[in-house]
Structure formats: C-alpha cells, structure tokens
Amino acid sequence: MLIFRSIFLLFTFLLYVPLATSGSLSESASIKVVSVMNKEKLTSLFPEPYEVGDKDSELELWPLMKHEVTGLNLVGYIYESINYSSIPGFMGIPYNLLVVIDTEGSFLDVQVLFHREPMFVGGVGEKPMLEFVEQYKGLSLMHNIKFNEKQGQRKPNDGKNTYLDGISGATASIRILNQTLLSSALKVARARLGFGCLLYTSPSPRDLSTS
C-alpha cells in the first residue's frame, strides 16, 4: 500500500508543478488549488481488504468500506480538505489534505496532497511535514489537539490536551495545516457522523499554538 501511495503522491505533486514554479507573491496568488481525487485513484491508495464506494456528490466525500468476516462494513469516509476548508497558507495558498476519518470521529489517515509553504518547499524540506501529519493517526476530534513550536520537545498528554511534536521554524505553517485539518473534519463529522454537537469546537489560530 505504501508503494502505491508514494507513486500516487509524486504524480499528484507533478500535476501542480507547472503552476508553482514562480516564487513571486503575485503569481502564487493566481494558483487555484482544486480537488484531484476520484474513485479510481482512491482505490489504488486503499486496495483490498478496503473498498471505496461511490462519491457523495453533495458532500464531496467517498465512503470507505472493509471486507471483514461479518461482511462489507463501513469504516469511515475519505475527503479532500480543499472542499471544506481553504485557509490561506504562508504564501496565500491553502493546503489540500487527503483525510480519512472513521465512523467514531478518529483519523485513520492524513496525507498532504498539495502545499506551497516555503519552509517545506525549500527550508527544512517536506520530510518534517510528512512526519508531523503522521501524528494525527488514531487521534479523535474529541481531543484538544495542540503542538509545540520546537521539534523533539513534545509534552506528555495531560488528560485535557493532546500534544503533537512541532517543527522548529515552521510554527505558522503547521498551525494552518492543523486548523485546515480540524475545521474540515468537523464539517464532515457534523454532516455525516451525526454527533457534531459533542465534538471539540474548532479553535482559533492563536489557540492552535503552544499552550
């Protein structure tokens, strides 16, 4: 599955490269981030025992099912964050995240499909960003998710807050990524999972920084 994902994400990035060759703010502002997924692409990312259902055109998401002993069971939903949240990044361009959320409101997978954050395009590179999003797997929307500004200084969870290991020098970029993920996931949960009123309220950008 990891090989399929690596090849697909490289292909997705190359689709955007012609749009993002200039570093100027004026040209960056002209970049339009759009949805790039379809059922065929998702099926390559989530092969058996998973099965991707038909797209819900009204909600812009796909049901994800799994073949189990009891039959074909719904395990969650797949969506692209750009269809629910378009918070401008450091260069004025939003992230596009591929998110899988289960039927209980927990993250099964989070991947970065597209970004133009200077710190990750150049700077420290994409590896710290990809490692950062891996931390969301298994976390629930019921968690009060915060992160530290510096890498390698993750605080222990205190029962009220869940802390992620941050990225030194990229606080603004991961703050926007975090808010993009949480705000989009809350919209999907409220629309599809039926228990949105119990979920943690999406925080302001200031609240998403260190405590």
Side-chain angles (χ1 to χ4, degrees):
M1 185 182 296
L2 290 176
I3 294 176
F4 279 120
R5 292 186 182 182
S6 298
I7 293 173
F8 176 77
L9 291 177
L10 175 60
F11 174 74
T12 301
F13 174 76
L14 291 175
L15 287 177
Y16 285 105
V17 168
L19 295 174
T21 54
S22 172
S24 70
L25 286 173
S26 59
E27 291 191 10
S28 293
S30 68
I31 296 176
K32 181 175 176 58
V33 183
V34 297
S35 175
V36 295
M37 303 304 295
N38 57 38
K39 185 176 178 179
E40 182 180 2
K41 293 175 182 177
L42 290 172
T43 297
S44 70
L45 289 178
F46 301 97
E48 292 186 357
Y50 295 100
E51 182 174 320
V52 178
D54 292 331
K55 182 179 182 179
D56 183 323
S57 57
E58 182 179 351
L59 295 178
E60 296 289 336
L61 52 76
W62 294 262
L64 180 65
M65 295 161 287
K66 186 176 182 181
H67 291 275
E68 299 176 311
V69 176
T70 56
L72 185 62
N73 299 315
L74 177 69
V75 294
Y77 297 94
I78 309 170
Y79 71 90
E80 290 181 74
S81 65
I82 197 63
N83 293 320
Y84 294 89
S85 178
S86 55
I87 301 168
F90 192 82
M91 297 292 289
I93 304 168
Y95 284 91
N96 188 20
L97 309 175
L98 180 66
V99 184
V100 186
I101 187 172
D102 73 12
T103 55
E104 300 298 321
S106 294
F107 295 109
L108 296 178
D109 198 9
V110 179
Q111 300 178 34
V112 179
L113 291 177
F114 178 73
H115 73 91
R116 285 303 294 165
E117 296 301 294
M119 183 59 73
F120 303 136
V121 172
V124 298
E126 289 193 333
K127 184 179 177 183
M129 177 188 67
L130 300 179
E131 292 175 345
F132 177 79
V133 299
E134 283 288 320
Q135 298 177 89
Y136 287 102
K137 292 181 181 179
L139 296 185
S140 169
L141 283 169
M142 295 294 290
H143 293 148
N144 187 7
I145 301 173
K146 296 187 176 183
F147 58 84
N148 299 315
E149 288 187 0
K150 295 184 179 179
Q151 204 162 357
Q153 296 185 7
R154 182 174 181 175
K155 296 179 183 179
N157 299 338
D158 57 16
K160 239 177 161 180
N161 302 305
T162 297
Y163 293 94
L164 304 182
D165 194 9
I167 303 174
S168 301
T171 303
S173 292
I174 60 174
R175 180 182 296 133
I176 295 164
L177 189 158
N178 188 59
Q179 190 175 15
T180 297
L181 175 62
L182 296 182
S183 61
S184 62
L186 283 167
K187 290 178 182 178
V188 170
R190 287 167 178 156
R192 183 54 73 194
L193 303 185
F195 59 98
C197 60
L198 301 178
L199 297 176
Y200 167 57
T201 302
S202 182
S204 66
R206 173 177 290 183
D207 293 334
L208 291 170
S209 61
T210 58
S211 59

